[in-house]
Amino acid sequence: MTTSRPILLPDSDADPEAGGMTLRVLGIPLELGASDQDLRQLAVRQAGVQEHDVLSMHWVRRSLDARRNRGVFRHVCHVDLVMRSTRESSVLKKALRSGRVRHAPAREALKLQAEPGLDRKRSIVVVGSGPGGFFAALTLALNGARVTMLERGSALEDRHRKLVPFHRGGPLDRDTNLLFGEGGAGTYSDGKLYTRVQDPLELAILQELVRAGAPENILFDARAHIGTDRLHRVLPRLRERLVEAGGEILWDTRFEALIQLGSAGKDKHIAAVRTSRGEIRCDGVVLAIGHSARDTFESLHEQGVAFESKPFQFGVRVEHPQELITRGRFGDSPAVKELGPASYNLARKGTDQVLGAHSFCMCPGGKIVASISEEGMLCTNGMSNAKHSSPYANAALVATISPAAFGGYGEGPLAGLGFQRHFEKSFFEAGGGNYSAPAQRIPDFLEGQGSRGELRSSYTFPVIPGRIDMLLPPDVCKALTRGLHSFDRQIEGFAGEEGLMVGLESRSSSPVRMPRNRDTFCATGYSNLFPIGEGAGFAGGIMSAAIDGARAAHVLLRCAK
């Protein structure tokens, strides 16, 4: 499909609502290969407006309708029409009543306009350089705050260099690995930007990514994806953007402790943070530590920061030949070449007796990697490059575990960490203790038997036959079994001989939350400590974490007094 530039990008601080009013036209069916002009004409017709009254059209969302029973594939599009005036004709009013058209929601820029009470001169420490931490830091810096961003791992260039020895059998670096370092865990999880969050800050964040070199289709594609290889070009430009805005970045710097002030009956106040490089005084701290910073969770808990257990996703990686997935989704359609490698999003609802199961972080044309931050543990993740060039497709296949399951693995709000560690250690040992992963063909998992013969996988290290059906908790096995039977009816061959389960997937989300005030974003019992993102339990992916970080920065600035 040919597209012109969908949204002009001169400045993410520009007014996104220029014009008389903006109409959002929903659910426009568009045949493959159609042009922007075709889409504009369809949008004008559906809205019941005159084309000469439209100043511009902007893409909002594009998804693929791949229902094979229709026999024809097409896109379903949402667009915004910026109108010359605010006048509503009778035809437009009818379209608005029908729900096919609505007034577009307001958008926000990262840089706040002049407001009474804003304190733009505060000194803020941001802990973590993942999407939540980075966009908190950038938003603060753009608004004039003095920002120091700490990252326990290395900048991207050194991060990549330090990973090479590990993938060749060398020791694990606990601070610079696939989870820690510039960009956080998402740097090596292929840059998916899917989100169910509809937030006025979403566009401003996507515009920053595009300005740094991400493809423009992330502004509207429902399956937006940057690619691990392209992220390695985008992140250094984002880093430059933060520095140009006045931010300071300290790589290879561990956060160690909060320097707290306070008295009985009052919220504690952070005066400084202690790091591996010394003490840094500040007016506030944003904690964006990520879902795998277990040692930091434990340190903060010992210092009195409140935590609570929460449900999290737990299961395995499932892998197939990409051709099987593409054929199962698209059949023999001549449009397959244009559509590219197929993806999927599968779910089986639970019952009172069996947990639900669903896919997560699907990587078409991708590979499985060892996503590890502690020695003697095994956890997998998926990634893919921009061109989806691998012959394999993989995804997490998980069930949601409730805190009630953590009881035998630890006490208190951090018991979920003990649950994770127990099974990561079991899978590590089942793989031979060298980061090889136990694997089992899906039919063997369903039949409760070991797999024989060669097991082929994209996994960075070797895979060896293992009894995943015996390594996982029984409730998770039941959920995945029920899910696999359902998914095989949706994608032919999904549960067949070519499907392989590779374990373990235990870091899809965090098993803890740091409770915070809904209005101020302050951690319970603190006046200037702001937990955000996945590690704090308030996000579930790159975009939701980035939005949470930027939103927290706005709240921090507005609540300064």
Side-chain angles (χ1 to χ4, degrees), residues 6 30 39 67 71 74 77 147 169 243 271 288 328-329 345 417 476 536:
L30 189 69
L39 178 59
R67 291 173 292 178
R74 64 184 182 185
C77 307
V147 179
V243 173
R329 294 279 281 120
N345 182 19
L417 306 183
V476 175

Side-chain angles (χ1 to χ4, degrees), residues 22-64:
T22 303
L23 301 174
R24 180 154 296 177
V25 188
L26 305 172
I28 305 168
L30 189 69
E31 299 305 318
L32 301 183
S35 68
D36 277 10
Q37 186 58 35
D38 294 330
L39 178 59
R40 182 181 176 116
Q41 291 174 357
L42 290 169
V44 165
R45 188 181 310 153
Q46 184 165 312
V49 298
Q50 299 297 314
E51 188 159 356
H52 61 77
D53 288 332
V54 177
L55 278 172
S56 61
M57 179 190 78
H58 304 317
W59 285 86
V60 174
R61 188 58 52 98
R62 180 186 69 186
S63 60
L64 178 67

Side-chain angles (χ1 to χ4, degrees), residues 477-558:
C477 283
K478 290 179 183 177
L480 299 191
T481 296
R482 185 166 170 268
L484 285 165
H485 285 303
S486 173
F487 304 155
D488 194 55
R489 292 191 291 271
Q490 297 175 60
I491 299 177
E492 185 177 354
F494 194 91
E497 286 290 332
E498 294 184 278
L500 187 70
M501 302 176 80
V502 181
L504 172 75
E505 173 87 21
S506 54
R507 310 284 185 99
S508 295
S509 59
S510 174
V512 299
R513 179 182 290 112
M514 286 180 262
R516 70 187 186 191
N517 183 285
R518 291 183 61 183
D519 297 322
T520 68
F521 279 40
C522 286
T524 300
Y526 287 85
S527 63
N528 62 342
L529 180 64
F530 305 88
I532 66 164
E534 289 199 52
F538 295 102
I542 290 174
M543 277 305 297
S544 59
I547 290 168
D548 196 52
R551 179 65 61 202
H554 280 180
V555 171
L556 189 160
L557 291 161
R558 286 174 169 138

